Amino acid sequence: MNEAIRLSFETMRNNTGGPFGAVVVKDGKVIAHGYNKVVSTNDPTAHAEVVAIREACKALNTFQLDGCEIYTSCEPCPMCMSAIYWARPDKVYYANSKEDAANIGFDDNFIYEELALPYEKRKIPLIRMMDKEALEAFKEWMSKSDKVEY
């Protein structure tokens, strides 16, 4: 956790993003570092946890983090929690809470509120189209004999 917190200071002081850091650990060894790179890369998905997950997966040459733990300087946002669930680490440890983050201007509560609304009432409408055409790829996936399941 000390390393995740150190990274949160580094990214903030270097103006690369907000004060967030994360590391991925396997067998007691840090295998990947991540810090917030939203501002420096113009990438709204470049949160510390996502960056750390990407680096860990590269290092391990896998798309799942079985046997790993994530240490993050702040409770993960909804996007990062989704990425964590997809990566499937064994545990996640965090320091600051989502309330602590909201108190300094990083409030994700609006996302939870938006997701609870019907599609047509959201600030960013979610509109379905061309579902029959897109469904053909799903049908082909189901019969594909050499697919890699995840």
Side-chain angles (χ1 to χ4, degrees):
M1 185 60 78
N2 284 326
E3 181 63 3
I5 293 169
R6 185 192 70 74
L7 289 166
S8 74
F9 278 100
E10 183 177 312
T11 187
M12 174 187 57
R13 290 173 179 162
N14 290 337
N15 291 322
T16 58
F20 305 97
V23 295
V24 178
V25 174
K26 184 168 180 119
D27 300 323
K29 181 181 176 191
V30 174
I31 59 165
H33 297 79
Y35 57 87
N36 188 287
K37 296 182 177 183
V38 170
V39 174
S40 63
T41 62
N42 294 320
D43 180 354
T45 69
H47 289 198
E49 298 91 339
V50 172
V51 172
I53 289 168
R54 289 173 182 163
E55 293 302 315
C57 289
K58 279 185 208 172
L60 296 174
N61 195 31
T62 184
F63 51 82
Q64 292 185 344
L65 298 178
D66 300 321
C68 295
E69 298 171 335
I70 297 175
Y71 292 79
T72 179
S73 66
C74 187
E75 185 175 356
C77 74
M79 177 186 69
C80 291
M81 276 309 306
S82 295
I84 287 166
Y85 274 97
W86 283 116
R88 296 178 178 91
D90 292 352
K91 291 180 186 166
V92 176
Y93 299 92
Y94 70 94
N96 292 318
S97 70
K98 62 183 178 184
E99 292 81 16
D100 295 329
N103 288 338
I104 65 163
F106 294 95
D107 190 354
D108 298 322
N109 196 48
F110 76 97
I111 296 172
Y112 295 110
E113 291 171 356
E114 283 286 306
L115 291 175
L117 293 173
Y119 296 150
E120 65 277 1
K121 292 189 177 185
R122 293 181 183 176
K123 289 180 181 145
I124 301 175
L126 187 62
I127 303 162
R128 189 172 188 187
M129 62 182 285
M130 297 186 69
D131 53 305
K132 290 178 183 68
E133 294 84 351
L135 193 57
E136 292 304 314
F138 280 12
K139 288 177 183 176
E140 187 173 320
W141 171 260
M142 290 302 296
S143 63
K144 188 171 170 45
S145 61
D146 62 343
K147 64 186 167 196
V148 178
E149 302 262 358
Y150 60 96

